[in-house]
Amino acid sequence: MPQTPPTGLPGMAEVARLTRAGRLTEATGLVQRLLRGERAAAPTAAPAPTVLEGEFEKLDSSPQLIPQGDAQPADGPGKGAGRGQKTGLVRTGLGETLRDLATRLRTMGGRAGGTGALRPAAAPLPDGASFVTDSYSGAAGTRTYKLYVPANHGDGLRPLVVMLHGCTQSPDDFAAGSRMNVFAERHGILVAYPEQPASANAQRCWNWFNPEDQRRDRGEPELLAGITRRIMRDHPVDPGRVYIAGLSAGGAAAAIMGTAYPDLYAAVGVHSGLPAGAAHDLPSALAAMRQGNGGRPDGARAARPVPTIVFHGDRDAVVHPNNGDRVAAQAIATATGLRTEVQQGAAPGRRAHSRTLHTDSSGRTLCEHWSIHGAGHAWAGGSPAGSYTDPQGPDATAEMMRFFLAHRLTATPA
């Protein structure tokens, strides 16, 4: 988790200036960028003073009474810590105000607006596109989902990507952070976002650690497969180009789906997640998250190798980076004759990464594992419009789409 920047850090003077001017949203955004290690932009001209701005000028010389009432966010999509509430008035000066801003953002784990108030408004849909809510009911219950249908209809049958959010997230939040709908327009694909309700898990985590939710046609896998098949039935989906991906608990659930339904999904994306079978209850789940060596995931194997792309920050303090290694090992466990190549890379202004490719004799990459140096528990290259994103990372969404569209099923899904 990033540390609070000291007041002497370059850029904090600009934060102080914005705070004195009453431009708290801009000040908060700048603190967030500093927490991510970005440089402050050159100062911008302040608009004409207002009564509120004049009041904030007093912060330099005297303590002020300011309200506190922001809900405190959960630690991250893999933890699901509880929320608290602080109310009342406290006395504070400018320095304390700045420290409070930094502390709030730090405890958000890099989120852009933990309460939602500081997040940009949702972008309008392109003409002809839709993002609607539906639900599916099966033997294991009912789940709501959102489906993005792009304005770009493409030619013929379309690919489908199923996206599984992390703990405390929602379909809209995950869509905004991953920017997957932008790529849906670019490639003419459908994107589904199943939603885990609080009634199924208090922190809205997918229950990847329950044996009942790790088996084909049982529990949550039955519901997620049902949503996938419903969309395939109701829309012009190419049955050979259906993919599933997720973040954190959603990544662990995606790994389970690839193992349980190798006849349904052509490829899987696991971001900051765990391998299928990594745990069998909550205590073993916590052990696997912290240590990366719980359970026996090698025993959970698909009937065929399912192409898998893995992303994991090597400074992830929520889900141990060893889990990324284990997801990759599970993906290639039944394959033979693979060639392994490790590539190092970094784009300007982005985090460096190591990319390990496992390629078969035909040149097809069966598994691609990205270890992102210095990254924590967040969607690489994501937008701050959503929670738990790391804009400095390589673009996980773009790389996932590239990987997905290079793979297709040759048999008709069951």
Side-chain angles (χ1 to χ4, degrees):
M1 187 174 293
Q3 299 298 310
T4 306
T7 55
L9 186 69
M12 289 305 292
E14 174 65 3
V15 174
R17 188 187 71 80
L18 292 171
T19 303
R20 286 195 299 269
R23 298 160 66 181
L24 288 184
T25 298
E26 294 173 64
T28 304
L30 179 52
V31 170
Q32 183 190 8
R33 293 194 296 275
L34 293 174
L35 288 170
R36 294 197 301 261
E38 299 176 13
R39 293 185 177 181
T44 56
T50 65
V51 173
L52 179 61
E53 291 167 359
E55 289 299 314
F56 273 94
E57 288 291 343
K58 299 175 184 177
L59 287 172
D60 272 340
S61 56
S62 63
Q64 298 293 305
L65 288 174
I66 61 171
Q68 284 192 334
D70 290 342
Q72 300 302 306
D75 288 346
K79 273 190 173 180
R83 293 175 181 263
Q85 186 83 8
K86 297 198 299 182
T87 59
L89 297 174
V90 297
R91 294 184 66 83
T92 180
L94 175 59
E96 187 172 346
T97 300
L98 298 180
R99 285 192 296 274
D100 182 64
L101 285 173
T103 299
R104 292 187 190 192
L105 287 170
R106 177 169 56 84
T107 58
M108 292 172 192
R111 294 181 66 168
T115 63
L118 301 178
R119 259 182 228 145
L125 295 178
D127 291 340
S130 63
F131 196 26
V132 298
T133 301
D134 206 336
S135 66
Y136 169 81
S137 296
T142 300
R143 288 295 183 275
T144 298
Y145 64 93
K146 294 200 72 171
L147 178 66
Y148 186 83
V149 179
N152 174 14
H153 294 171
D155 297 322
L157 298 178
R158 308 185 193 182
L160 167 65
V161 177
V162 180
M163 295 285 285
L164 305 180
H165 62 74
C167 299
T168 76
Q169 293 185 309
S170 68
D172 290 288
D173 182 12
F174 194 31
S178 66
R179 302 162 26 255
M180 187 58 81
N181 292 352
V182 174
F183 287 82
E185 287 294 342
R186 186 174 303 173
H187 297 284
I189 67 174
L190 302 174
V191 187
Y193 300 87
E195 182 171 18
Q196 179 74 316
S199 59
N201 183 289
Q203 299 302 323
R204 302 181 183 273
C205 309
W206 298 101
N207 293 301
W208 55 271
F209 47 85
N210 287 338
E212 182 72 8
D213 297 306
Q214 298 173 353
R215 300 167 57 188
R216 183 184 177 100
D217 298 335
R218 301 291 293 272
E220 291 173 2
E222 184 269 334
L223 293 172
L224 295 173
I227 290 171
T228 303
R229 292 177 176 133
R230 163 75 63 79
I231 296 169
M232 295 172 68
R233 184 197 71 189
D234 295 344
H235 297 269
V237 173
D238 183 346
R241 294 189 294 169
V242 178
Y243 314 97
I244 190 163
L247 169 67
S248 192
I256 290 171
M257 295 302 292
T259 299
Y261 296 91
D263 54 334
L264 183 59
Y265 301 103
V268 176
V270 180
H271 200 313
S272 307
L274 302 95
H280 57 273
D281 55 18
L282 186 55
S284 60
L286 294 175
M289 289 169 61
R290 291 169 182 165
Q291 303 168 15
N293 58 0
R296 294 183 57 82
D298 292 342
R301 297 179 179 177
R304 70 169 182 89
V306 179
T308 303
I309 185 167
V310 183
F311 292 85
H312 217 114
D314 66 5
R315 294 293 181 269
D316 192 333
V318 177
V319 177
H320 196 285
N322 284 351
N323 285 290
D325 299 330
R326 301 180 79 211
V327 173
Q330 188 175 75
I332 62 174
T334 60
T336 59
L338 297 181
R339 181 174 62 89
T340 300
E341 177 186 1
V342 180
Q343 301 175 348
Q344 306 294 332
R350 299 273 187 168
R351 296 187 190 278
H353 64 266
S354 298
R355 183 171 67 141
T356 303
L357 305 174
H358 301 278
T359 308
D360 65 18
S361 57
S362 69
R364 183 184 71 148
T365 300
L366 182 59
C367 181
E368 189 170 314
H369 179 198
W370 292 65
S371 177
I372 307 168
H373 305 317
H377 195 69
W379 188 273
S383 167
S387 63
Y388 311 113
T389 62
D390 177 14
Q392 285 185 293
D395 194 334
T397 305
E399 300 295 345
M400 273 192 186
M401 285 309 310
R402 170 191 55 77
F403 184 86
F404 286 167
L405 296 178
H407 295 86
R408 66 178 301 135
L409 280 174
T410 56
T412 301

